[in-house]
Amino acid sequence: MALQTTATATVSRTYPFSVRRLSDVAGAEISGVDLRDPVSAEMRDAIMAALEEFHVIAFRDQNLTKDEQQAFTLNFGEIEGHVGRLNSGEKYPIVHTVTNLDEKTGLPTETPTTHGNYFWHTDKSYHDVPSLLTMLHAIQTPPEGGDTLFANMLMAYEALSDAEKQALDGMRAVHSWEANRLNTGNTPASEEQKRERPPVNHPIVRTHENGRKSLYLGVHIGHVEGMDYEAGRAMLADLLDRATAEPFVYRHAWKVGDLTLWDNCVLVHRADRNYEMTAHPRVLHRTAVLGVVPV
Ligand code: OGA
Ligand code: MN
């Protein structure tokens, strides 16, 4: 499938910046903007429109400090705190670092404290109000690989048969921090974390303001509500597998300086281990904006 590399669709409207679509599935590159500059209402709206059109947008050649990234993020809503803890026991800071560097030695490792980003998911779906958009700013990237994959859940939903669409209508899945830790083989959730973030349930098919529908899946899900535990998990695993097939995936190959925003409502994403994890640092600064209750 060559869908990742060829973009045949056009850009639907005019933007106050230069936009180039990167694939038909998702992804556009924006250049000629310095995100340290104040963001006007027009600029903010144009960025949100680009996000709706392309689902993933990458501003090239940015150079923001963590404070500047925080200030830029606040243009789009409230920034979310975290349940995750560093080895030290401290909560992740508000602008936190996604990295393969070991917390103690500072050296690249295959087994970083947090590796949940290598599994398909949509951010903070274990919250009753999950993330609207997430931003990653590439600080250090491996010479090759370490890509982020984004799968378009609008397209994945469209590809289901009518019978499947009907069967999924009204079904809900239970998402939790605890399930995430089990599914990813990470340190189990502590009692405090379980209390802080009790399980929530969300529709498996989301309906957006524009009327379009998409699948809402990923590694934060424990089981399907009201369905046999194992049967529900098997159904979801099969759905996720098909929904993340190559024709629905945009692969973002990072360049240092990229600041990428994506729409968690219509995508699942994951990091790819397609790099020498023990040889090369991969460091990105991350912020996430609070969204809406999925319906
Ligand atoms: C995240 C995430 C993917 C990556 O920061 O939410 O999932 O490529 N990151 O590291
Ligand atoms: Mn994520």
Side-chain angles (χ1 to χ4, degrees), residues 204-220:
I204 293 175
V205 177
R206 286 185 71 159
T207 308
H208 304 281
E209 265 180 29
N210 60 10
R212 294 192 69 188
K213 291 178 186 249
S214 64
L215 290 169
Y216 198 58
L217 303 172
V219 79
H220 306 323

Side-chain angles (χ1 to χ4, degrees), residues 11-40:
V11 173
S12 75
R13 49 162 275 171
T14 51
Y15 288 99
F17 36 68
S18 150
V19 189
R20 188 169 73 90
R21 181 185 275 279
L22 294 170
S23 89
D24 293 341
V25 169
E29 133 187 300
I30 297 178
S31 43
V33 178
D34 186 340
L35 298 179
R36 292 175 299 193
D37 293 341
V39 176
S40 65

Side-chain angles (χ1 to χ4, degrees), residues 2-10 19-29 50-58 60 120 148-155 212 246-253 260-263 266-269:
L3 280 177
Q4 285 95 321
T5 49
T6 44
T8 52
T10 49
V19 189
R20 188 169 73 90
R21 181 185 275 279
L22 294 170
S23 89
D24 293 341
V25 169
E29 133 187 300
L51 206 57
E52 180 162 5
E53 179 165 9
F54 306 106
H55 315 309
V56 184
I57 53 178
R60 303 289 195 193
W120 289 113
T148 304
L149 306 178
F150 296 93
N152 184 323
M153 295 295 100
L154 296 158
M155 293 175 77
R212 294 192 69 188
E246 216 178 307
F248 306 134
V249 171
Y250 162 64
R251 172 182 290 277
H252 188 74
T260 295
L261 277 69
W262 68 82
D263 181 349
V266 297
L267 301 169
V268 290
H269 62 277

Side-chain angles (χ1 to χ4, degrees), residues 221-280:
I221 298 179
H223 64 282
V224 178
E225 204 177 56
M227 192 168 166
D228 172 75
Y229 183 86
E230 289 304 335
R233 284 179 70 88
M235 182 193 80
L236 288 175
D238 171 61
L239 263 184
L240 184 64
D241 200 45
R242 288 187 288 141
T244 54
E246 216 178 307
F248 306 134
V249 171
Y250 162 64
R251 172 182 290 277
H252 188 74
W254 291 95
K255 293 182 188 161
V256 168
D258 282 358
L259 193 145
T260 295
L261 277 69
W262 68 82
D263 181 349
N264 281 297
C265 306
V266 297
L267 301 169
V268 290
H269 62 277
R270 70 172 176 89
D272 197 346
R273 288 182 179 264
N274 65 340
Y275 70 109
E276 275 185 82
M277 289 187 77
T278 53
H280 303 296

